[in-house]
Amino acid sequence: RQALLRQNCFIGKVATLPHNIGYLQLDAFPDPAVCGQPITAALFSLNSASAIIFDLRNNRGGLPDMVADLAAPLFDHPVPWYNPRATTSDPSWTTSPVPGSRLAQTPVYILTSPVTFSGAEQFTYNLKMLHRAIVVGETTGGAAHAGTFHRIDDHYGMGIPETRIVNPYASHDWSAVGVTPDVQVQATDALATAEKLAAAKLHR
């Protein structure tokens, strides 16, 4: 807990860019029991933004509950939410709407790189498949599935998927192939590109 708080819950930067574009750099999805409030507060500080950019270029993933919690304010009703690490085959949904959120109609952009991994890919994949965000950058790392860990001996263990998870969007997720951006540019150019896209959309 103290280590997470010392690292500001992996919140890299929160800012309002020109044209009232909100910017949130998040480098992990940590335990919501510790970091749920700080991360939600960071997002809600951008509640009046005309567009939101999530910078996940250095995000290596984290806990699925935190991933879903960050997405929930972006919708005004529950939507299907794919979690390849769920322990049940029952479909999951977001906990939308979130009281106080004014972000349900706000344009969303997500910045990605080959380092974008696991839970960060889950966030990106779901919002892309729901047509809720424009993904800008490079194809992500491709880490999707995990299984229940079984100890074999003192030195070895094996993770085995033990449930068939329902994907409400497609027959294949991002495992091994990554999430392909809607706008493919070098990761270093992703922020500037997303700013231009957002500004052009707001101008229209």
Side-chain angles (χ1 to χ4, degrees), residues 78-86 88-94 122 125-131 164-174:
V79 295
W81 189 255
Y82 176 55
N83 178 11
R85 298 191 174 187
T88 173
S89 59
D90 294 333
S92 59
W93 297 77
T94 62
Q122 181 195 5
Y125 174 84
N126 275 278
L127 292 185
K128 178 181 178 180
M129 298 302 288
L130 288 163
H131 305 289
R164 176 179 172 82
I165 308 304
V166 176
N167 184 339
Y169 315 125
S171 59
H172 192 278
D173 57 22
W174 66 91

Side-chain angles (χ1 to χ4, degrees), residues 67-156:
V67 176
D69 287 350
L70 187 64
L74 304 177
F75 299 92
D76 59 8
H77 62 280
V79 295
W81 189 255
Y82 176 55
N83 178 11
R85 298 191 174 187
T87 57
T88 173
S89 59
D90 294 333
S92 59
W93 297 77
T94 62
T95 57
S96 309
V98 174
S101 174
R102 299 200 297 268
L103 300 173
Q105 305 302 324
T106 303
V108 174
Y109 300 83
I110 302 174
L111 311 185
T112 60
S113 78
V115 177
T116 305
F117 213 64
S118 190
E121 295 178 277
Q122 181 195 5
F123 183 84
T124 304
Y125 174 84
N126 275 278
L127 292 185
K128 178 181 178 180
M129 298 302 288
L130 288 163
H131 305 289
R132 184 63 187 87
I134 301 297
V135 183
V136 182
E138 298 182 54
T139 301
T140 63
H145 299 284
T148 303
F149 186 78
H150 296 274
R151 172 65 62 187
I152 297 174
D153 59 23
D154 291 341
H155 303 285
Y156 295 95

Side-chain angles (χ1 to χ4, degrees), residues 2 4 10-11 16 23 29 55 63-65 68-69 76 82 84 123 135 147 152 190 193-194 204:
Q2 293 305 315
L4 286 173
F10 294 97
I11 301 168
T16 300
Y23 173 83
F29 287 91
D55 191 345
L63 300 187
D65 287 349
D69 287 350
D76 59 8
Y82 176 55
F123 183 84
V135 183
I152 297 174
T193 302
R204 290 195 299 270

Side-chain angles (χ1 to χ4, degrees), residues 174-194:
W174 66 91
S175 181
V177 297
V179 181
T180 304
D182 299 296
V183 180
Q184 298 193 45
V185 296
Q186 293 292 318
T188 52
D189 298 326
L191 176 56
T193 302

